[in-house]
């Protein structure tokens, strides 16, 4: 059920309704919107017993939500959710596109810094990299663990990019939550319900990847799990689904972007790297993702893809990522978006000039 508050309802009236909902044994999710606040009610097995809610000051109406997902739905919140980060223009769901780039896995400090510098110069505001890797083979590189997270924290310190990294289980979640700016839940874990609930109790935004055979409804229900625990900062990510096609690793389902946007207020980004598995398809599908209206991209980039410990064949060379960013900057305005300028991050300019020996301003187009 949804309790829609009047536009002029006061904070006290909203809190009183939330308290009443909790007294009735349910959970209240207050969702402030541009026009009015709606309060989602969850935790009910059957119909919510509205009790005296209807009569409380500030309440406009009670609406039954018939869809299985509630908090992710536009019924609860009509406007797009925008997830912002302190000290930067980087955001998901606003007019600026969110560009996340970096290697599949954090392999060592040198590799990480080399890739980080290049993607930062090209204009990424978020740096990706796995410290915990969910690999198909138990004999493949599993990630550096906490050391990988520490190296990523150094990247944030040096360049100001926000860090996106995956938690693969409840144990790694504690550390990932401590170091990351955005917690990634991988495709293989999209229906790991205990992990989703744990992510819902985390205090960081969650980037939730679509499972390889998940329907739209299953995808939204996974996001609902996170939100039902009180974390409303969820970013959806299309990363390709498994089909009969064998010219790509997965089939990137770009049609899910407008489908999600119709039903949900949550931002959605596209991963053309896992979505195609082929380097030569990453740039064309990135262009298409921006054109279709995605809120951003997550792209694998490696300075030496042939030597990468995972996903080298789908990783762009830094020059290719730079060229891609130039194209994205041109496509974005056609769909009313833009790529935020690189933040003036003092320590990044120091770090870069010390490395190159040149005291020049950082130019995203250089
Ligand atoms: C990744 O981002 O490196 C990854 C493992 O992605 P996915 O969960 O989409 O396979
Ligand atoms: Mn990968």
């Amino acid at each position: 059920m949804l309790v829609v508050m009047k536009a002029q309802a006061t904070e006290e009236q909203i809190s009183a309704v939330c308290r009443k909902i909790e007294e009735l044994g349910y959970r209240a999710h207050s969702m402030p919107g541009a026009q009015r606040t709606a309060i989602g009610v969850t935790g009910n097995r059957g119909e919510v017993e509205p009790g005296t809610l209807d009569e409380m000051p500030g309440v406009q109406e009670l609406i039954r939500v018939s869809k299985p997902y509630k908090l992710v739905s536009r019924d609860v919140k009509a406007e797009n959710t925008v997830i912002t980060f302190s000290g930067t223009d980087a955001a998901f769901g606003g007019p600026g596109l969110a560009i996340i780039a970096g290697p599949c896995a954090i392999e060592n400090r040198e590799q990480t810094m080399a890739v980080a510098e290049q993607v930062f110069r090209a204009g990424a505001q978020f740096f990706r990299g796995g410290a915990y890797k969910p690999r198909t083979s138990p004999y493949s590189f599993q990630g550096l663990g906490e050391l990988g997270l520490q190296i990523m924290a150094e990247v944030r310190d040096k360049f100001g990019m926000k860090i996106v990294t995956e938690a693969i289980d409840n144990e790694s979640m504690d550390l990932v939550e401590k170091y990351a700016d955005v917690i990634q839940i991988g495709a293989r874990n999209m229906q790991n319900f205990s992990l989703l609930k744990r992510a819902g109790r985390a205090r960081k935004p969650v980037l939730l990847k679509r499972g390889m055979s998940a329907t739209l409804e299953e995808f939204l229900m996974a996001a609902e799990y996170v939100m039902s625990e009180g974390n409303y900062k969820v970013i959806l990510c299309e990363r390709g689904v498994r089909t009969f096609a064998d010219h790509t690793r997965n089939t990137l389902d770009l049609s899910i972007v407008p489908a999600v946007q119709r039903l949900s207020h949550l931002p959605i980004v596209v991963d053309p790297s896992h979505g195609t598995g082929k380097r030569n398809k990453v740039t064309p599908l990135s262009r298409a993702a921006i054109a279709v209206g995605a809120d951003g991209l997550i792209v694998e980039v490696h300075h030496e893809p042939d030597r990468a410990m995972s996903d080298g064949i789908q990783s762009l060379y830094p020059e290719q990522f730079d060229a891609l960013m130039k194209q994205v900057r041109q496509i974005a305005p056609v769909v009313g978006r833009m790529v935020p300028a690189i933040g003036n991050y003092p320590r990044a300019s120091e770090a870069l000039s010390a490395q190159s020996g040149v005291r020049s301003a950082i130019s995203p187009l250089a």
Side-chain angles (χ1 to χ4, degrees), residues 104 128 133-134 166 184 186-188 209 239 249 271 274 300 311:
C104 179
R128 64 146 292 149
K133 294 304 305 175
E166 180 169 352
Q184 178 174 324
R188 289 156 193 80
K209 292 188 132 195
R239 49 77 74 204
R249 177 178 174 186
D271 174 349
H274 296 87
E300 288 185 340
D311 287 347

Side-chain angles (χ1 to χ4, degrees), residues 221-341:
M221 289 308 285
E224 185 81 17
Y225 259 95
V226 179
M227 295 183 78
S228 71
E229 292 291 322
N231 187 348
Y232 308 128
K233 295 186 176 174
V234 180
I235 303 137
L236 300 168
C237 176
E238 161 61 26
R239 49 77 74 204
V241 289
R242 192 162 278 189
T243 68
F244 52 82
D246 58 3
H247 62 288
T248 49
R249 177 178 174 186
N250 293 294
T251 297
L252 190 66
D253 177 15
L254 290 179
S255 71
I256 204 161
V257 172
V260 160
Q261 288 169 338
R262 195 182 161 108
L263 297 173
S264 176
H265 52 88
L266 295 176
I268 177 164
V269 300
V270 168
D271 174 349
S273 307
H274 296 87
T276 65
K278 302 263 170 83
R279 182 180 306 131
N280 63 25
K281 296 187 175 51
V282 172
T283 296
L285 271 297
S286 298
R287 293 194 297 253
I290 300 306
V292 87
D295 294 300
L297 296 171
I298 173 165
V299 182
E300 288 185 340
V301 180
H302 200 288
H303 68 313
E304 292 178 324
D306 295 343
R307 298 170 67 170
M309 294 174 87
S310 69
D311 287 347
I313 53 166
Q314 68 194 32
S315 298
L316 293 185
Y317 286 90
E319 311 78 71
Q320 290 178 309
F321 178 68
D322 192 51
L324 165 61
M325 288 301 290
K326 292 188 169 99
Q327 296 180 8
V328 168
R329 282 193 187 85
Q330 292 189 52
I331 297 169
V334 177
V335 287
R337 311 296 284 264
M338 50 92 175
V339 179

Side-chain angles (χ1 to χ4, degrees), residues 154 156-160 344-352 362:
E154 280 180 40
R156 174 178 43 220
D157 245 26
K158 192 160 168 180
F159 298 103
N344 188 11
Y345 197 73
R347 292 187 57 192
S349 43
E350 267 168 38
L352 291 178
I362 300 162

Side-chain angles (χ1 to χ4, degrees), residues 109-177:
R109 183 173 281 99
E110 291 66 39
Q111 167 247 13
T112 307
M113 290 302 163
V115 181
E117 177 176 343
Q118 306 248 31
V119 299
F120 174 73
R121 280 181 185 278
Q125 317 101 20
F126 295 89
F127 185 70
R128 64 146 292 149
Y132 298 91
K133 294 304 305 175
R135 304 303 299 276
T136 303
S137 164
Y139 309 118
S140 300
F141 177 57
Q142 306 281 310
L144 294 182
E146 186 169 9
L147 174 60
L149 298 173
Q150 285 164 347
I151 296 173
M152 292 194 94
E154 280 180 40
V155 167
R156 174 178 43 220
D157 245 26
K158 192 160 168 180
F159 298 103
M161 287 186 286
K162 299 291 172 186
I163 300 306
V164 181
T165 192
E166 180 169 352
I168 54 170
D169 47 29
N170 284 315
E171 293 79 65
S172 53
M173 180 66 85
D174 291 343
L175 281 172
V176 167
E177 186 184 2

